């Protein structure tokens, strides 16, 4: 494949797509959404909301409408809610159900069924929800919401936008004020969009911590939502264009929310030529077009404080580090061990198999780069993706800068977040 050139658009932001459907389902009236990501994860959210009474219709690619049931209006689903591979769908919908007087069962695939739900079960139980979970607090699980639920003040023990959002969503139908204290800022799409839908939500800074309050028994008003391009999807093309010689690629309409744009800052620190063009705001979210040109990257020590703003982008950052000049050191990444796979071990093994020099630590990776020389690639033994879409896409990018190419064991999980990834990669390398 040749260099990445021309202009592309990545699909809509996954986090914002989930939330647009959920908040639309809780508004009274008709919400329109354009640019919705149509990956398996988001479709699982749509199916679950339909099962609880919302009317959700697709009109054309990315164009959807949601006729909501109102806060407090969710109906008991007749069958288990199948979440597929989507941790976001599961944790946020658990928050929605928590303050409704209904019982719901949640199931998922093998990967999702191994992921921890205790971090959501604990605060929602304090609000009055009862749970019957599998051993270790995993799926499948059954929950019965509390009506009325009890408002709580909860300090997040781990930096997790999903846990924060679950509590705020439970607070929507809870009398009084529910408060979440966030010692480390995480993506704030829920706060921005809830305000846009008319929730009484406000944020304070106290002793360097974000304190988010929401007043319950809310009335949400329908909205017209435009979903910006997903920065986590753009990440693969940003890194590919930086690494492949001769590349000059523009990626349009990428969400540049401060709580999500850490990868761009880190790659710029490594010497990456990434230019932000046409910066603007769309639907309350900052957006820009990114022009990315081939660059010789240098290894750095990545500040662990930036981790929450790029937690999903570390697998592809590790690929960038493998081709950089010098050593890249990352730490503070324990959260990567409980994603769709243990992403630290999975990426260490995958990159080592492809010829990179990687040392795995308890909470990060240390990578000695090749100074721009291609990786050897894989011969005979495919990379194990562990059903993780980001491992599969990251190693596809690594394959572009390898001598023998890189074979992965399964590309099907890519459809959970980025169904057109392979077609778009082919388009940009043949522009």
């Amino acid at each position: 494949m040749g260099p990445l050139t021309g202009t592309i658009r990545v699909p809509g932001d996954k986090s914002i797509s989930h939330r647009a459907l959920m908040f639309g389902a809780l508004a009274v009236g008709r919400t329109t959404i354009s640019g919705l990501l149509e990956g398996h994860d988001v479709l699982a959210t749509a199916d679950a909301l339909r099962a609880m009474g919302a009317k959700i219709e697709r009109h054309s690619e990315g164009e959807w409408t949601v006729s909501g049931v109102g806060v407090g209006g969710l109906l008991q689903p007749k069958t288990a809610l199948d979440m597929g591979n989507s941790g976001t769908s599961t944790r946020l919908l658990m928050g929605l159900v928590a303050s409704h007087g209904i019982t719901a069962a949640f199931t998922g695939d093998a990967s999702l069924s191994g992921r921890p739900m205790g971090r959501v079960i604990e605060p929602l139980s304090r609000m009055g929800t009862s749970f019957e979970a599998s051993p270790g607090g995993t799926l499948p699980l059954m929950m019965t919401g509390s009506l009325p639920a009890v408002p709580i003040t909860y300090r997040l023990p781990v930096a997790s936008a999903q846990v924060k959002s679950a509590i705020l969503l439970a607070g929507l139908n809870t009398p009084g004020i529910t408060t979440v204290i966030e010692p480390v800022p995480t993506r704030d799409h829920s706060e921005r969009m809830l305000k846009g839908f008319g929730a009484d939500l406000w944020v304070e800074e106290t002793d360097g911590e974000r304190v988010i309050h929401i007043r319950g028994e809310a009335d949400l008003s329908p909205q017209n939502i435009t979903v910006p391009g997903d920065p986590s999807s753009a990440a693969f093309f940003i890194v590919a264009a930086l690494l492949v010689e001769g590349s000059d690629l523009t990626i349009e309409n990428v969400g540049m929310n401060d709580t999500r744009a850490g990868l761009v800052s880190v790659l710029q620190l490594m010497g990456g030529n990434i230019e932000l063009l046409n910066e603007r705001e769309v639907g309350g979210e900052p957006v820009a077009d990114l022009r990315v040109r081939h660059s010789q990257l240098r290894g750095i020590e990545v500040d662990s404080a930036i981790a929450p703003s790029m937690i999903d982008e570390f697998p592809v950052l590790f690929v960038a580090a493998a081709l950089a000049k010098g050593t890249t050191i990352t730490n503070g990444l324990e959260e990567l061990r409980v994603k769709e796979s243990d992403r630290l071990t999975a990426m260490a093994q995958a990159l080592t198999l492809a010829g990179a020099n990687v040392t795995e630590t308890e909470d990060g990776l240390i990578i000695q780069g090749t100074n721009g020389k291609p990786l050897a690639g894989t011969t005979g033994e495919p990379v194990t993706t562990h059903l993780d879409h980001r491992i599969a896409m990251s190693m596809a990018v690594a394959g572009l800068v390898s001598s023998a190419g890189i074979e992965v064991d399964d590309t099907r999980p890519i459809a959970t977040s980025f169904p057109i990834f392979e077609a778009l990669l082919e388009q940009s390398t043949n522009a």
Side-chain angles (χ1 to χ4, degrees):
M1 282 186 172
L4 287 80
T5 56
T7 300
I8 63 166
R9 278 193 175 223
V10 295
D13 185 285
K14 188 160 69 141
S15 298
I16 294 173
S17 293
H18 282 301
R19 287 160 175 80
L21 289 171
M22 289 184 199
F23 303 164
L26 292 180
V28 177
R30 193 167 184 259
T31 290
T32 62
I33 307 169
S34 60
L36 187 88
L37 173 66
E38 296 181 357
H40 293 173
D41 285 8
V42 175
L43 298 181
T45 291
D47 286 343
L49 293 168
R50 284 190 189 106
M52 291 189 282
K55 186 180 178 188
I56 301 177
E57 295 177 291
R58 179 184 189 270
H59 300 279
S60 59
E61 190 174 334
E63 304 293 321
W64 292 61
T65 56
V66 184
S67 298
V69 295
V71 171
L74 293 179
L75 305 176
Q76 181 152 318
K78 293 186 171 68
T79 56
L81 303 175
D82 182 358
M83 299 289 96
N85 187 241
S86 181
T88 304
S89 303
T90 310
R91 294 187 179 119
L92 269 60
L93 287 168
M94 284 167 67
L96 278 192
V97 169
S99 55
H100 285 72
I102 61 176
T103 297
F106 289 83
T107 62
D109 68 9
S111 167
L112 182 61
S113 297
R115 296 180 68 182
M117 296 299 153
R119 55 179 60 178
V120 180
I121 290 172
E122 201 259 325
L124 296 182
S125 296
R126 290 193 198 181
M127 298 179 79
T129 309
S130 60
F131 290 90
E132 290 174 41
S134 298
T138 57
L139 299 190
L141 68 75
M142 178 92 74
M143 65 180 290
T144 300
S146 177
L147 191 66
V150 180
I152 60 169
T153 295
Y154 190 76
R155 175 181 264 100
L156 291 177
V158 292
S160 170
Q162 293 178 359
V163 178
K164 169 179 67 175
S165 298
I167 299 166
L168 294 176
L169 291 182
L172 276 174
N173 198 41
T174 299
I177 295 168
T178 297
T179 300
V180 180
I181 301 165
E182 201 175 39
V184 178
T186 64
R187 56 186 69 175
D188 63 354
H189 304 305
S190 292
E191 296 95 303
R192 287 172 183 256
M193 199 183 287
L194 280 168
K195 275 193 204 171
F197 273 86
D200 186 2
L201 179 147
W202 64 103
V203 182
E204 300 169 330
E205 289 275 342
T206 307
D207 299 329
E209 298 181 324
R210 284 181 88 237
V211 183
I212 306 132
H213 308 277
I214 191 164
R215 192 182 304 278
E217 299 180 300
D219 291 314
L220 301 188
S221 304
Q223 301 297 308
N224 298 323
I225 304 285
T226 301
V227 180
D230 193 326
S232 298
S233 297
F236 302 103
F237 288 86
I238 294 169
V239 170
L242 290 173
L243 296 182
V244 177
E245 214 166 310
S247 294
D248 184 348
L249 182 70
T250 298
I251 311 167
E252 291 182 329
N253 193 47
V254 180
M256 293 303 294
N257 184 309
D258 285 345
T259 62
R260 295 287 301 285
L263 178 73
V264 169
S265 311
V266 168
L267 290 170
Q268 287 172 327
L269 281 174
M270 293 173 76
N273 186 338
I274 306 170
E275 208 179 335
L276 274 63
L277 308 171
N278 191 18
E279 294 182 68
R280 57 207 185 272
E281 196 164 284
V282 176
E285 292 279 348
V287 168
D289 302 333
L290 305 183
R291 185 180 181 191
V292 189
R293 283 170 273 193
H294 170 250
S295 309
Q296 174 58 68
L297 301 179
R298 56 183 175 271
I300 62 168
E301 182 162 356
V302 180
D303 182 353
S304 59
I306 206 168
S309 70
M310 56 176 291
I311 199 69
D312 286 330
E313 286 75 73
F314 274 99
V316 79
L317 176 71
F318 296 148
V319 175
L323 274 289
K325 179 181 183 180
T327 305
T328 297
I329 300 169
T330 61
N331 51 47
L333 304 182
E334 302 91 336
E335 181 69 9
L336 289 187
R337 297 205 182 275
V338 292
K339 288 290 188 176
E340 282 83 336
S341 66
D342 176 342
R343 286 181 175 163
L344 289 179
T345 297
M347 283 303 297
Q349 291 173 343
L351 284 169
T352 300
L353 185 65
N357 184 342
V358 183
T359 305
E360 183 179 349
T361 64
E362 194 177 324
D363 63 348
L365 298 184
I366 299 168
I367 301 175
Q368 182 69 44
T370 65
N371 194 14
K373 294 193 188 79
L375 297 171
T378 56
T379 48
E381 186 184 350
V383 163
T384 304
T385 59
H386 304 278
L387 297 176
D388 189 327
H389 53 128
R390 298 203 194 280
I391 304 293
M393 289 186 280
S394 297
M395 294 312 295
V397 170
L400 298 176
V401 283
S402 66
S403 302
I406 291 175
E407 186 186 348
V408 300
D409 64 350
D410 196 347
T411 59
R412 288 172 300 177
I414 291 172
T416 65
S417 68
F418 201 163
I420 63 166
F421 171 75
E422 289 160 278
L424 205 53
L425 193 59
E426 198 163 307
Q427 174 196 321
S428 56
T429 51
N430 292 314

